[in-house]
Amino acid sequence: MGQFELYFRLGLNHILDLAGFDHILFVVVLCSLYSITDWKRIIILVTAFTIGHSVTLALATFQVITIDSGLVEFLIPVTIGITAAGNILNPKASKGIQVNYFFAIFFGLIHGLGFSNYLKALLGNEESLLNPLFAFNIGLEAGQLLIVLFFLLFSLIPLKIFKVNQKQWTIVVSAIILGMAIKMIIDSKFW
């Protein structure tokens, strides 16, 4: 197995690992405004998130920035909660640029810091960090797109079979995730 494939798989497996479900929750709540017919907008949204967390992941891996991991682990569920609350307050996807694109990029910066300790431990003896970092991020992107695809396919059940409208579905999904985010915030070691 080559270096690219190794780090690609590590990124893919890391995002799909249910132990790190906070990132899964963020991607799901970010995309809960959309249906499968909005796939182009969703890819842009998920890629914006990947770009955001790739920037801080690189900066932290190259030790340009360091932030207390306890603070980062507190801020990640805060980003999930803010995004979920935003969806509840405005559960309809607009046709133009919307706040979720801002959430994707800006909050992606915070989520990238959450990956940085994991990746730094993996990259310990690598001579070049750029290629493994790139492969890891591509793996994360692929994993996020798989999560979104699974969520959108699952969403077809309430949307098409039970005729729940998109707005109601967004509110239900966002409310559940908001509750989970609040619990994560309360359980945070940051307090």
Side-chain angles (χ1 to χ4, degrees):
M1 177 183 323
Q3 183 188 46
F4 182 89
E5 185 181 352
L6 171 69
Y7 285 100
F8 175 88
R9 284 186 180 189
L10 287 170
L12 180 69
N13 292 336
H14 187 65
I15 194 72
L16 296 177
D17 182 3
L18 293 181
F21 72 98
D22 51 350
H23 298 286
I24 294 171
L25 291 177
F26 184 75
V27 171
V28 167
V29 78
L30 195 62
C31 296
S32 67
L33 294 169
Y34 304 99
S35 68
I36 203 156
T37 59
D38 297 313
W39 63 270
K40 288 179 186 176
R41 293 171 68 193
I42 294 167
I43 289 173
I44 293 168
L45 190 65
V46 172
T47 302
F49 178 60
T50 300
I51 290 168
H53 72 66
S54 296
V55 168
T56 51
L57 183 57
L59 292 173
T61 301
F62 289 116
Q63 299 177 349
V64 173
I65 58 171
T66 56
I67 296 181
D68 177 51
S69 62
L71 176 60
V72 172
E73 293 307 317
F74 168 75
L75 289 175
I76 288 173
V78 169
T79 67
I80 296 166
I82 290 170
T83 305
N87 287 353
I88 292 167
L89 295 172
N90 187 17
K92 189 171 185 278
S94 64
K95 296 299 177 200
I97 298 296
Q98 63 189 60
V99 73
N100 265 15
Y101 288 95
F102 169 78
F103 286 163
I105 292 174
F106 183 72
F107 292 164
L109 295 170
I110 295 168
H111 285 248
L113 293 169
F115 287 128
S116 66
N117 288 335
Y118 172 77
L119 189 59
K120 277 192 269 189
L122 290 174
L123 293 173
N125 296 327
E126 291 290 341
E127 290 179 20
S128 169
L129 298 179
L130 200 52
N131 289 334
L133 186 61
F134 177 72
F136 186 82
N137 280 307
I138 296 297
L140 287 173
E141 174 80 354
Q144 290 170 167
L145 290 173
L146 284 173
I147 291 164
V148 170
L149 178 62
F150 177 78
F151 171 72
L152 292 174
L153 290 174
F154 175 78
S155 295
L156 290 174
I157 296 168
L159 294 173
K160 298 298 181 192
I161 296 173
F162 294 107
K163 305 298 183 201
V164 174
N165 73 39
Q166 182 67 49
K167 189 175 179 180
Q168 292 169 328
W169 178 241
T170 298
I171 291 172
V172 167
V173 170
S174 297
I176 291 168
I177 292 177
L178 177 59
M180 294 172 78
I182 290 169
K183 171 124 177 55
M184 291 165 60
I185 291 166
I186 292 168
D187 292 346
S188 171
K189 294 178 179 140
F190 184 70
W191 302 105

